[in-house]
Amino acid sequence: MGGSRISAEVLLVFAVGIACLSSLASAASNTTDEPCQGAKLQDASQAEAESVLKSCSPEQKAKFLLESNNLSNETLVVLVFTTLNASLENLNSFFGSFVAGAAKRNLTALSMDVRDRLLNLTLTALVPQFNLLNDEGVQQWLQVYLPLLLPSANSQTFEVIPRNITCSSYQHIVKGFDNIISQLSGKQTQLVFNFSLDYLTGQLSSGLSCVDAGNVTDDRRWLEVNFGRFRFQASFMDFLRFNVNFKGVKVADLLSFTQLSQLAAIPSQLNGTQDVIKIMTFINASNFSRFFDLLEFEIKTRSTNHTQEVKSAFLQAVFDRGGLTAASDEEVLLWLRVQLRPLLVDLSPALVTSLATLGEGRRCNTTEEMIKLLDSLQTTFSSNTKTEIFGNIVRFLQGPTPLKCYSGGSFYLFLKNTFLSFGFPDVSTLISLLPPTRKSELLNSFNASELSQFLSEPGAIGNGSDVCDLFSLYNHTAAFLETEDVPDDVRRTILPCVWPLALSSSSRSEVNFWFDLRLKNYLRFLTPDLISATAVQNASCLAFEKLVSVMGNNFTYNSSEFGREDVYSSIRSYLSAGSGVRCYDPRDPELNSTSWFFNYIGSFITFITLDDLTSFVNTSQIEVFLEDRFNLDLFSNVAIPSNVTSFYIKQVFTFNPTFSPLRFPGIFLCSSDVPSMSYSSLDENNTLIILDRLGLFCNGTNNPEIAATLASNIKTLTLEIFRALGKASSGLSISQITSVSPSVLFSALSTLSSVTDWAQDQARTIIERLLTSDFKIDSAAALKSLGSLVTGLASELLDKINPADLLSIPTSSDFISNILSAPKILQLTFVNKIISLFKDPLTLLLSVPDRLALEIPPSLLAFPEGSVDIKIINAKLWTPDQAVLVFKNLAAAVFEADLLSPFVLQGFTCTSVQKMTPDKVTGLIRAVRPRLGLPKVVLKESQLTCMYNLVRNSLTENFLDYPSDMLLFFETQNIQKDSCRSYFSALGVADFSVASGILRKGPQLFTEATTCLGITGLSLNRDAVGVLGNMVCTLDRSYIENSDPFILEKLKACKDLSDGQVAAIETLLLSGKTVYGNSMSWSEQTLESLGTLPLHLSRNVWGRFQTTAKRNFLKTFMPNLRKLKTQKIKLKNLFRQIIPIVAKRAAGCTEGNISQVIISDPAFPFGYDETQFDLCLDIPVLRDNLNNICQNVDDDGFQKVILKKLSLAYPSGVPDQAVQMLGSVSRVATLEDISKWSITKVDTLSALFSADDGSWETEKSKEIIERYLRTSGNSLGPTELTIIGSNLCSLDASRLKTISPLSILTAQPANVASCSTEQKTVLYETSSNAFLVYRASFVDYYNLMKPYLGGAPLGDVVFLSTQNINMDVDVFRSLQLDVIRNLTVRNVQLLMGDQLRDLKLFENDTVVRTWANLQFQSDLDTLGIGLISNRTEPTTVAPIQATTAAAAFPQPSVFLAALLPAVLLQRRA
């Protein structure tokens, strides 16, 4: 019933509505719609009403529903809707009108039933046509037409919505529901969210769903359009499910609390601190606990791990806003154990301090729990974090109540339990933890083992001074050092701390404990500072003694930062401190040992200097230590400076002249400072003991004085004695030698032949004694068996040996060395014997020993160019005359100039290089430059000017590329100013004496040097002296006196010094301003330091030295001078300066009889004046030691004494053997003396004309030669000519005419410059015949003839000018003056060739000036060298004169041509 009533009512309403609608429609369309007229619907049935409604338009129907209360009538609504044609168009029209009308009526809600029914009907009609809707259509429906109905949505609503709609359509749907979300129930909200999940799941592709929709521009937009406010139903993982690239932080303001916690738990979502800050901005501080609970849960559940930065940001947020500082201990621990634990993993070092702040002021157990919590996570912490935790623990312990949690016991264990795995305090930190008043208490709570563990902790040792502070308070240091084994770096640090304790220990037992036990494993870590003078200066004597012992005997220096010399430096400082001998006290049992040097210097004695020694112990204190056995052994080290050992030995004998050398260590016996008299008291047995030790330690003795002393102790000479004597056999006197039977000498020959320093008379006597037995010198074997005795062999014995038998000898280097030490005549004889066997030059060169090639006559070296291997030539020693002849072989040879020997290079002349290319010549000149480690190539002035002339146009300013002596001849005006210093520096090593005095090169170059170096006045500073070098040898007295004392060092290199220069040197020395100090302090060492200068000094300086110093110095100085073959005139002058001015007058010998021992003293005859020498020298001693006396005596007066006594010794005439021994003594002989000499043997002639002994006066040399020639069989053969040399000029021309061409041909060339014109003419004629056979190679002929060209006639000289010989200016000036006057300009130009420019260089020479002034200037100008003549040019044209014609050169005689082959076979008669 009720339903019918409703239907009637509905119909009525519909009727009314339709009528109204009809009216409205009619009015609107101005048409009439009959069915919709209300009048007709009033009586209509329900069916008729439905029919009428169907005829109404959708708009009319919508308006109808909005009339009155129609919308509250569900039946009416259904009726209206069911009559609606459900096309999409009609639906759009209906809802469009409905929504518009509802808005006008402010209709915001419908009854739930109507709304439910209407939504259901709408969707039923719409869904089938949903596919016809585009995105805008869906938006129109869901957001415009249906919002009034959507609150009625249910599960069926979402089921009917198709899932194949576009994302935009879907998003419009979501938006529609989002717009009315406030009207939805929770269930409906979940339904919408479920619909979203369902739809988005269907759209999911590659982790993205509806991300690419046109209206999605970023994560915020994506979240809003796809979820709207239904997002709160989602988990954060839902968002990531549909958008793998979703970044929640960007939309944190859109997320829920739970979603934020979920977001925070995902590491990939958080890129850093700012992301965390953004999240935490939306978390209220009151919710922190819940948030971090959720975060902790999420992290634990997902097993995720954030970056340190992210976790740090979360922690910082807690520290900043979490209010934990005000929380209770329990709450703080809870936070740390639970909520924050995941965030503490990989804790940032920057947050440690903030975290530590939470523990401030809390209970000890709370702080301990916090540290334990962190310790449980320490494996995740970085080293920096651990360091920060460590630092905060330190700060916790330091205050404000220091060590408040320490309750006693081992402080080490307390710290271990506090720091746990966060390290352990280093020493410095530990010290800082100790309250000042408790340091000792806390440190000594460590037992030795704990201290060892503590110090062994990695990094425990930081500041060494803190370690020292620790040990300064620690009471168990000794136990620690004795028992604990710690790492090396710990030992290295501890040592400086305990080192002063060791050094200050004052009892020997304590010292031994320190060095032998406690520091045994520490000493290798000693540093330069610890052994420095400062560190050990205050050491106790016992500790210092032990230190010296340990460092000398037990310390390994390989890996230390200092060496033994550094230790010695500290020893020197220690022992030099204070006055007197430090650490020696004869009253103290611990310090009264006389082994002082052994105890306090020990093995470091090798570093001691003489100044050190005298500073440790002065001469008044040293006596007590000298003879101590340990000290003697100590000073016997061969590495000790010789002057120290020398001083020690001298001091021994100074304080105890009777000290026996038997007490010396063996090596001491090798010293020349052991006085020979100390051996004189030995009996024969002890002498043999000494000899044995000399052989063992010194390889015998080389001291002739000691050898003579030891030999004099021997009474009977046997084979065993000779073997024991060994080298000392050279000390035997002639009388001793003659007392030995020949058989014993023969048995001892192997020993005697190995003695290297036989005097000639000793060796001769032995040979003579041997020859009285069956021993014969008739073979090479017998000759070689003589060994060093060959020096006493007579040349006639050598001459008797078959030449062929001698060919095996040149391979014996020992024999060659021995014969080179023998008289010159033996070398000459030996080479002549070899030469006599060969005609072929190559075989000859190969057969003559390299070191004896000097004796080959130059004529035999004129072999064809290129016929001899340059290697053979380069291996031999040559004289300059020989080198000139072999040099031409370089022209065709391929060689490296720098590898040529100095002996070959000295053959460079303009003649010898004329066939060489310019490059080869330049290379040879460069090879002559000074080179380190190679002897200087000695060249004459003419060779140097030749070199300069050849390269003058291609010179560079690399002056070191040229021979230093050649630089003397550079044209300095062409040297650039900025290069002048380099030039003078290179010139500084030149020999200025090479240049002729007439050139005044020294003064000239010095003037130019002063300009270059800016020298003004007479004073030269050190730099200028250094640059000038050898040029200082040319300076006069005023410069030397006023220059830097360094000039003395340069003057040492001067070959000669003038009287003025010597006076200047002495002025400098006596000024006390040199390195040699005040003359009051001068000693033997001073003399040694002066180098060669003592040779030139006057008695003004020599008188400042004590006699002993002079004697000791002369013992080495004189042998060195003799070895250098110092000019006899200089030796004579030296002796005059060192002996007293006034001879002692005495009735007898007061200086001691001269014996063989005294004569053997190298300083002999120092100490004797002429009178004493005469009185103290007995004739038998003179005869027995004639050779040694003559070799050592240089003074004219002394030498005259020798000659006087010699005439007394040999009243019937002095025999050849004695004359051969005279040496330089012979030069003071009178003609009367000479008349008493026997000069029958060539050996005597050779000995008398030794150039080393000085020059002869003409009459004397003539007498000697004539006396020799008076002996039957003697003549001026090649050997004699070689021996006599320049002394040929003392013979009459008639005698010279007796010389055969063959003798000239096979002799060494002679210097005949001192000969008269007549003599030169004779010698020229003979030599021109001799060498004419070489005219095929005119260069060879010229080189052989050069010495004799002073006698050449004009025609021959003119002929030479046509042969391209490049005559040097020296040879030119040696020509006869008459010849020179008649040479034309053209003649001279052709003669001199490449040497022509030397005429300008020597234009001030008398000969050159004479010739130039004879020429017309116009003719000289053709030379182009700037030579000036004072001859007036003719005013009229003179008749043309023919050039001086060259004479026809003489042809070799038939006799000479036939005789030439015999040259190589000639032997001295």
Side-chain angles (χ1 to χ4, degrees):
M1 289 291 293
S4 298
R5 258 193 326 269
I6 292 172
S7 297
E9 293 170 356
V10 169
L11 288 174
L12 179 61
V13 171
F14 265 99
V16 175
I18 290 172
C20 293
L21 289 171
S22 178
S23 302
L24 292 170
S26 177
S29 61
N30 208 16
T31 61
T32 302
D33 189 354
E34 290 296 332
C36 290
Q37 293 179 0
K40 294 180 179 181
L41 290 176
Q42 291 177 353
D43 300 325
S45 63
Q46 182 175 355
E48 291 174 341
E50 290 179 0
S51 175
V52 172
L53 287 171
K54 287 181 181 179
S55 66
C56 291
S57 67
E59 292 86 350
Q60 291 173 325
K61 292 178 181 179
K63 291 176 181 179
F64 171 74
L65 283 180
L66 292 171
E67 290 293 336
S68 187
N69 293 319
N70 289 345
L71 282 176
S72 60
N73 189 327
E74 180 183 357
T75 302
L76 179 59
V77 171
V78 171
L79 178 61
V80 172
F81 204 89
T82 56
T83 62
L84 182 65
N85 183 2
S87 67
L88 186 59
E89 180 182 0
N90 287 341
L91 288 172
N92 280 331
S93 296
F94 173 80
F95 275 98
S97 296
F98 182 80
V99 170
K104 290 179 181 180
R105 291 171 174 76
N106 199 25
L107 180 63
T108 58
L110 300 175
S111 65
M112 184 174 60
D113 292 339
V114 172
R115 186 185 63 202
D116 290 346
R117 193 64 177 270
L118 189 54
L119 177 61
N120 184 45
L121 291 172
T122 301
L123 291 178
T124 300
L126 181 62
V127 167
Q129 303 177 78
F130 215 87
N131 62 326
L132 299 178
L133 294 175
N134 58 17
D135 291 344
E136 290 75 10
V138 173
Q139 180 182 18
Q140 184 76 12
W141 274 97
L142 267 296
Q143 296 176 23
V144 178
Y145 296 161
L146 297 180
L148 286 173
L149 306 182
L150 289 179
S152 292
N154 55 29
S155 60
Q156 293 177 346
T157 303
F158 295 101
E159 289 174 2
V160 299
I161 297 175
R163 299 299 193 265
N164 60 351
I165 59 177
T166 67
C167 284
S168 294
S169 295
Y170 157 74
Q171 291 163 359
H172 292 317
I173 294 172
V174 173
K175 179 61 176 174
F177 280 104
D178 188 70
N179 290 341
I180 56 100
I181 191 169
S182 61
Q183 301 174 50
L184 299 177
S185 65
K187 181 178 180 182
Q188 289 176 306
T189 301
Q190 186 63 41
L191 287 173
V192 176
F193 174 68
N194 291 341
F195 163 72
S196 295
L197 293 179
D198 187 43
Y199 176 79
L200 291 173
T201 300
Q203 296 297 315
L204 191 60
S205 174
S206 301
L208 301 174
S209 185
C210 290
V211 172
D212 297 327
N215 59 347
V216 176
T217 56
D218 54 24
D219 288 335
R220 177 175 293 276
R221 185 64 180 160
W222 179 84
L223 185 62
E224 289 175 337
V225 300
N226 286 296
F227 289 97
R229 281 176 285 179
F230 301 101
R231 64 184 178 274
F232 297 116
Q233 303 302 115
S235 71
F236 189 79
M237 295 306 297
D238 290 333
F239 302 148
L240 292 178
R241 176 186 172 197
F242 300 118
N243 184 355
V244 292
N245 299 323
F246 183 72
K247 297 300 180 185
V249 174
K250 296 180 179 180
V251 295
D253 57 312
L254 301 181
L255 302 181
S256 68
F257 181 87
T258 301
Q259 289 170 338
L260 287 171
S261 66
Q262 293 170 342
L263 163 63
I266 302 173
S268 62
Q269 286 291 307
L270 306 178
N271 291 326
T273 301
Q274 292 303 315
D275 287 356
V276 175
I277 291 173
K278 192 168 184 180
I279 291 173
M280 297 308 295
T281 300
F282 301 101
I283 305 297
N284 192 287
S286 62
N287 292 324
F288 267 30
S289 180
R290 189 161 64 91
F291 175 81
F292 282 101
D293 277 341
L294 291 173
L295 179 60
E296 185 269 340
F297 174 78
E298 290 289 340
I299 292 174
K300 186 190 302 183
T301 302
R302 300 178 186 278
S303 298
T304 58
N305 190 18
H306 294 75
T307 65
Q308 186 186 72
E309 181 183 358
V310 168
K311 287 186 286 188
S312 296
F314 280 124
L315 286 172
Q316 192 63 56
V318 174
F319 297 152
D320 291 344
R321 298 169 56 203
L324 295 184
T325 55
S328 66
D329 288 13
E330 290 74 15
E331 289 173 327
V332 169
L333 289 175
L334 181 61
W335 266 90
L336 294 174
R337 289 169 180 160
V338 182
Q339 289 103 320
L340 298 184
R341 184 179 179 89
L343 301 179
L344 293 174
V345 173
D346 194 23
L347 179 65
S348 167
L351 292 177
V352 173
T353 299
S354 297
L355 180 61
T357 303
L358 299 180
E360 291 180 357
R362 300 188 184 276
R363 297 189 300 271
C364 288
N365 61 342
T366 300
T367 307
E368 293 169 359
E369 284 298 316
M370 290 176 66
I371 296 173
K372 287 179 180 178
L373 172 64
L374 293 174
D375 187 68
S376 68
L377 299 171
Q378 59 88 20
T379 57
T380 70
F381 294 163
S382 69
S383 60
N384 288 341
T385 298
K386 293 178 181 178
T387 300
E388 280 298 314
I389 294 172
F390 174 85
N392 277 277
I393 295 174
V394 169
R395 286 188 283 277
F396 160 69
L397 294 173
Q398 287 175 331
T401 304
L403 306 180
K404 69 174 186 177
C405 295
Y406 172 68
S407 58
S410 170
F411 188 55
Y412 173 74
L413 293 179
F414 166 74
L415 292 176
K416 290 293 285 185
N417 293 330
T418 300
F419 284 93
L420 298 177
S421 59
F422 295 111
F424 199 81
D426 60 17
V427 176
S428 179
T429 305
L430 175 66
I431 298 296
S432 72
L433 294 176
L434 305 177
T437 59
R438 302 183 66 187
K439 282 186 177 181
S440 178
E441 168 206 344
L442 294 171
L443 286 176
N444 284 290
S445 71
F446 286 50
N447 60 38
S449 175
E450 289 172 342
L451 181 59
S452 173
Q453 294 175 53
F454 163 52
L455 294 176
S456 300
E457 290 280 350
I461 303 297
N463 188 329
S465 64
D466 289 325
V467 176
C468 294
D469 289 343
L470 184 154
F471 276 98
S472 70
L473 296 170
Y474 194 60
N475 297 331
H476 313 296
T477 298
F480 173 86
L481 295 173
E482 292 171 9
T483 61
E484 297 305 316
D485 184 17
V486 293
D488 286 352
D489 61 327
V490 177
R491 291 193 178 106
R492 186 179 288 108
T493 307
I494 291 175
L495 182 57
C497 304
V498 299
W499 187 238
L501 298 176
L503 294 180
S504 63
S505 50
S506 55
S507 72
R508 195 171 294 278
S509 60
E510 186 67 9
V511 166
N512 290 336
F513 265 119
W514 274 105
F515 284 91
D516 296 339
L517 179 59
R518 295 168 190 163
L519 297 182
K520 181 179 180 181
N521 296 319
Y522 287 76
L523 291 176
R524 69 178 185 273
F525 302 111
L526 283 170
T527 65
D529 286 341
L530 293 180
I531 58 94
S532 69
T534 303
V536 304
Q537 193 59 244
N538 296 319
S540 70
C541 289
L542 295 178
F544 188 80
E545 178 185 349
K546 186 69 174 182
L547 172 65
V548 170
S549 174
V550 169
M551 299 307 293
N553 304 318
N554 307 112
F555 190 79
T556 302
Y557 291 87
N558 294 342
S559 58
S560 68
E561 298 174 4
F562 60 89
R564 295 177 63 87
E565 64 276 13
D566 299 305
V567 177
Y568 176 74
S569 178
S570 297
I571 293 173
R572 177 175 55 211
S573 176
Y574 183 88
L575 296 179
S576 299
S579 60
V581 183
R582 188 170 185 181
C583 293
Y584 176 73
D585 184 349
R587 297 162 300 180
D588 186 340
E590 290 286 6
L591 301 177
N592 64 358
S593 171
T594 56
S595 304
W596 187 87
F597 291 107
F598 176 82
N599 293 337
Y600 295 104
I601 301 178
S603 63
F604 299 98
I605 196 70
T606 56
F607 297 102
I608 198 171
T609 67
L610 186 55
D611 287 341
D612 294 343
L613 179 58
T614 54
S615 70
F616 300 157
V617 185
N618 62 44
T619 53
S620 65
Q621 301 168 317
I622 198 171
E623 179 181 3
V624 68
F625 307 126
L626 290 171
E627 297 183 27
D628 181 88
R629 180 173 59 85
F630 291 103
N631 291 340
L632 286 170
D633 288 340
L634 183 69
F635 275 91
S636 67
N637 192 317
V638 294
I640 296 174
S642 58
N643 63 334
V644 174
T645 306
S646 174
F647 174 82
Y648 192 95
I649 294 172
K650 289 175 182 176
Q651 290 298 303
V652 170
F653 289 102
T654 297
F655 286 101
N656 183 5
T658 62
F659 183 85
S660 172
L662 288 168
R663 295 177 56 193
F664 268 151
I667 200 67
F668 268 23
L669 300 177
C670 306
S671 172
S672 60
D673 295 297
V674 178
S676 59
M677 64 178 182
S678 68
Y679 297 102
S680 61
S681 60
L682 299 176
D683 59 23
E684 189 165 311
N685 287 333
N686 285 331
T687 298
L688 293 176
I689 293 173
I690 290 293
L691 286 169
D692 180 63
R693 295 171 72 185
L694 282 169
L696 179 64
F697 292 100
C698 317
N699 193 27
T701 180
N702 293 314
N703 187 315
E705 193 176 0
I706 291 175
T709 303
L710 292 171
S712 67
N713 293 336
I714 304 298
K715 305 306 178 186
T716 303
L717 291 164
T718 64
L719 174 60
E720 291 72 21
I721 295 294
F722 274 119
R723 288 173 177 169
L725 281 170
K727 290 182 178 180
S729 298
S730 63
L732 293 168
S733 67
I734 299 296
S735 299
Q736 285 179 298
I737 294 172
T738 55
S739 69
V740 183
S741 69
S743 60
V744 171
L745 288 174
F746 181 75
S747 301
L749 185 58
S750 61
T751 297
L752 299 176
S753 64
S754 63
V755 177
T756 57
D757 48 1
W758 288 115
Q760 186 181 352
D761 54 352
Q762 290 175 306
R764 185 194 64 206
T765 303
I766 292 172
I767 291 174
E768 289 174 350
R769 295 288 292 164
L770 286 170
L771 291 174
T772 61
S773 67
D774 294 333
F775 181 75
K776 305 295 181 185
I777 305 175
D778 54 3
S779 67
L783 184 62
K784 288 172 65 176
S785 71
L786 292 176
S788 58
L789 290 170
V790 75
T791 191
L793 184 67
S795 64
E796 61 184 347
L797 293 175
L798 176 60
D799 199 34
K800 292 177 182 179
I801 300 175
N802 189 326
D805 197 23
L806 295 177
L807 286 180
S808 63
I809 291 182
T811 60
S812 171
S813 60
D814 287 341
F815 175 80
I816 301 304
S817 296
N818 288 328
I819 202 168
L820 284 171
S821 300
K824 189 78 170 178
I825 184 61
L826 286 176
Q827 300 165 27
L828 189 59
T829 303
F830 181 79
V831 172
N832 284 337
K833 299 286 287 182
I834 299 295
I835 290 174
S836 67
L837 291 172
F838 303 104
K839 297 180 181 180
D840 175 48
L842 177 59
T843 309
L844 184 153
L845 286 181
L846 289 173
S847 301
V848 175
D850 293 342
R851 290 186 287 170
L852 289 175
L854 299 161
E855 307 305 331
I856 300 175
S859 61
L860 300 185
L861 300 174
F863 33 75
E865 197 172 294
S867 61
V868 178
D869 189 342
I870 191 64
K871 293 180 180 178
I872 298 174
I873 295 174
N874 201 44
K876 295 186 179 296
L877 306 188
W878 303 110
T879 66
D881 291 318
Q882 292 173 315
V884 167
L885 286 157
V886 300
F887 202 81
K888 70 176 188 296
N889 286 275
L890 301 179
V894 177
F895 58 88
E896 187 174 342
D898 277 351
L899 297 182
L900 293 177
S901 77
F903 300 98
V904 172
L905 289 171
Q906 67 181 332
F908 187 108
T909 66
C910 279
T911 304
S912 59
V913 300
Q914 60 185 359
K915 292 184 179 180
M916 298 184 188
T917 65
D919 286 345
K920 183 173 283 190
V921 170
T922 301
L924 287 168
I925 292 174
R926 187 174 183 276
V928 180
R929 73 193 187 281
R931 285 184 283 168
L932 189 65
L934 293 177
K936 179 179 179 178
V937 181
V938 180
L939 300 175
K940 295 187 296 184
E941 182 178 49
S942 59
Q943 293 172 293
L944 297 166
T945 58
C946 163
M947 288 181 171
Y948 178 69
N949 292 332
L950 291 174
V951 296
R952 63 185 297 272
N953 294 322
S954 58
L955 293 171
T956 70
E957 294 198 346
N958 187 2
F959 304 111
L960 296 178
D961 274 350
Y962 301 106
S964 55
D965 292 353
M966 186 182 111
L967 299 177
L968 290 165
F969 305 98
F970 270 41
E971 295 170 358
T972 53
Q973 67 269 20
N974 296 328
I975 296 173
Q976 298 297 320
K977 184 171 179 58
D978 57 358
S979 300
C980 70
R981 181 182 176 90
S982 298
Y983 166 73
F984 285 111
S985 181
L987 180 65
V989 297
D991 178 3
F992 282 74
S993 66
V994 169
S996 298
I998 195 171
L999 300 183
R1000 293 183 54 79
K1001 280 294 180 181
Q1004 171 200 327
L1005 290 168
F1006 178 68
T1007 299
E1008 295 169 2
T1010 57
T1011 302
C1012 171
L1013 302 176
I1015 298 171
T1016 58
L1018 298 176
S1019 178
L1020 303 178
N1021 60 29
R1022 185 183 181 92
D1023 176 69
V1025 170
V1027 173
L1028 293 176
N1030 290 343
M1031 193 185 293
V1032 302
C1033 299
T1034 69
L1035 300 182
D1036 60 29
R1037 175 174 184 169
S1038 56
Y1039 279 102
I1040 295 173
E1041 285 181 344
N1042 292 285
S1043 294
D1044 187 286
F1046 180 59
I1047 199 170
L1048 293 177
E1049 307 310 308
K1050 296 299 180 182
L1051 289 167
K1052 291 177 183 178
C1054 300
K1055 288 186 175 180
D1056 206 353
L1057 294 169
S1058 68
D1059 291 343
Q1061 288 175 318
V1062 172
I1065 291 171
E1066 293 183 346
T1067 299
L1068 263 181
L1069 287 172
L1070 294 172
S1071 72
K1073 297 177 181 179
T1074 71
V1075 294
Y1076 307 103
N1078 188 285
S1079 61
M1080 298 297 292
S1081 64
W1082 287 352
S1083 63
E1084 177 187 343
Q1085 181 62 46
T1086 307
L1087 286 167
E1088 291 175 357
S1089 301
L1090 285 171
T1092 58
L1093 291 181
L1095 174 64
H1096 308 283
L1097 298 176
S1098 72
R1099 64 178 71 255
N1100 186 32
V1101 171
W1102 277 107
R1104 311 291 174 126
F1105 293 92
Q1106 294 182 357
T1107 299
T1108 302
K1110 288 188 284 189
R1111 182 186 300 279
N1112 290 333
F1113 170 68
L1114 291 172
K1115 285 178 183 289
T1116 55
F1117 189 58
M1118 294 306 298
N1120 288 336
L1121 291 177
R1122 299 187 196 286
K1123 187 176 181 181
L1124 294 171
K1125 298 184 178 181
T1126 304
Q1127 293 177 342
K1128 290 296 180 179
I1129 190 170
K1130 293 181 180 180
L1131 297 179
K1132 292 175 186 293
N1133 178 66
L1134 170 63
F1135 194 74
R1136 282 197 301 272
Q1137 303 305 320
I1138 60 177
I1139 61 173
I1141 298 177
V1142 180
K1144 294 180 181 179
R1145 298 186 179 276
C1149 173
T1150 60
E1151 295 294 334
N1153 288 325
I1154 296 173
S1155 65
Q1156 182 184 358
V1157 172
I1158 291 175
I1159 295 167
S1160 298
D1161 182 352
F1164 176 78
F1166 178 76
Y1168 293 88
D1169 58 30
E1170 186 178 331
T1171 301
Q1172 284 296 302
F1173 181 74
D1174 188 8
L1175 292 172
C1176 298
L1177 178 61
D1178 294 332
I1179 291 176
V1181 174
L1182 174 63
R1183 292 185 59 166
D1184 225 16
N1185 299 276
L1186 183 60
N1187 183 76
N1188 279 346
I1189 292 174
C1190 291
Q1191 291 297 316
N1192 290 339
V1193 174
D1194 299 299
D1195 181 76
D1196 288 351
F1198 284 47
Q1199 291 179 334
K1200 290 176 180 177
V1201 170
I1202 293 171
L1203 290 173
K1204 180 185 70 174
K1205 290 182 178 289
L1206 194 62
S1207 65
L1208 296 174
Y1210 299 100
S1212 301
V1214 183
D1216 277 85
Q1217 289 88 341
V1219 175
Q1220 291 171 23
M1221 302 298 110
L1222 291 178
S1224 66
V1225 173
S1226 63
R1227 303 310 192 262
V1228 301
T1230 63
L1231 288 173
E1232 183 182 357
D1233 290 329
I1234 296 172
S1235 67
K1236 299 176 182 178
W1237 295 351
S1238 174
I1239 310 175
T1240 63
K1241 302 180 183 301
V1242 71
D1243 300 59
T1244 309
L1245 190 69
S1246 176
L1248 287 171
F1249 283 113
S1250 172
D1252 296 338
D1253 293 324
S1255 61
W1256 280 100
E1257 296 172 15
T1258 301
E1259 291 302 317
K1260 294 178 182 178
S1261 63
K1262 177 182 178 181
E1263 176 63 20
I1264 290 170
I1265 297 170
E1266 292 296 344
R1267 287 186 67 78
Y1268 172 77
L1269 292 175
R1270 292 186 195 118
T1271 301
S1272 175
N1274 290 347
S1275 66
L1276 291 177
T1279 300
E1280 286 82 358
L1281 293 179
T1282 298
I1283 290 169
I1284 293 170
S1286 63
N1287 289 289
L1288 275 175
C1289 295
S1290 66
L1291 298 176
D1292 296 336
S1294 57
R1295 175 64 75 181
L1296 295 178
K1297 289 179 180 179
T1298 65
I1299 301 172
S1300 71
L1302 192 58
S1303 294
I1304 291 280
L1305 182 68
T1306 53
Q1308 296 286 354
N1311 180 357
V1312 297
S1314 62
C1315 288
S1316 67
T1317 300
E1318 182 185 11
Q1319 290 171 314
K1320 289 180 180 178
T1321 300
V1322 171
L1323 290 172
Y1324 174 77
E1325 290 173 352
T1326 305
S1327 60
S1328 64
N1329 282 322
F1331 299 124
L1332 194 59
V1333 293
Y1334 293 100
R1335 68 172 185 159
S1337 172
F1338 218 87
V1339 168
D1340 288 339
Y1341 173 78
Y1342 169 69
N1343 284 326
L1344 291 168
M1345 283 295 298
K1346 264 194 305 187
Y1348 308 104
L1349 287 177
L1354 176 63
D1356 287 4
V1357 174
V1358 172
F1359 181 82
L1360 286 176
S1361 71
T1362 66
Q1363 300 302 312
N1364 192 26
I1365 58 172
N1366 292 316
M1367 180 182 286
D1368 64 60
V1369 72
D1370 289 337
V1371 177
F1372 175 77
R1373 291 187 297 170
S1374 73
L1375 299 175
Q1376 294 183 55
L1377 191 57
D1378 287 344
V1379 171
I1380 292 174
R1381 287 193 181 102
N1382 287 286
L1383 292 174
T1384 68
V1385 170
R1386 182 59 175 164
N1387 292 151
V1388 172
Q1389 184 178 29
L1390 292 173
L1391 265 179
M1392 298 191 69
D1394 291 331
Q1395 299 273 57
L1396 183 63
R1397 296 191 66 83
D1398 287 356
L1399 287 178
K1400 176 63 178 176
L1401 183 65
F1402 285 87
E1403 64 181 339
N1404 293 323
D1405 176 76
T1406 302
V1407 173
V1408 175
R1409 175 50 41 207
T1410 298
W1411 175 81
N1413 287 335
L1414 291 172
Q1415 315 305 316
F1416 291 121
Q1417 186 62 48
S1418 58
D1419 293 334
L1420 289 178
D1421 289 345
T1422 64
L1423 300 178
I1425 60 174
L1427 203 59
I1428 305 298
S1429 172
N1430 62 7
R1431 182 178 181 183
T1432 305
E1433 293 282 347
T1435 57
T1436 59
V1437 178
I1440 299 175
Q1441 297 180 356
T1443 302
T1444 305
F1449 205 73
Q1451 298 295 315
S1453 67
V1454 174
F1455 170 75
L1456 279 176
L1459 190 61
L1460 183 59
V1463 169
L1464 299 175
L1465 297 174
Q1466 183 191 24
R1467 293 175 56 192
R1468 182 178 57 79

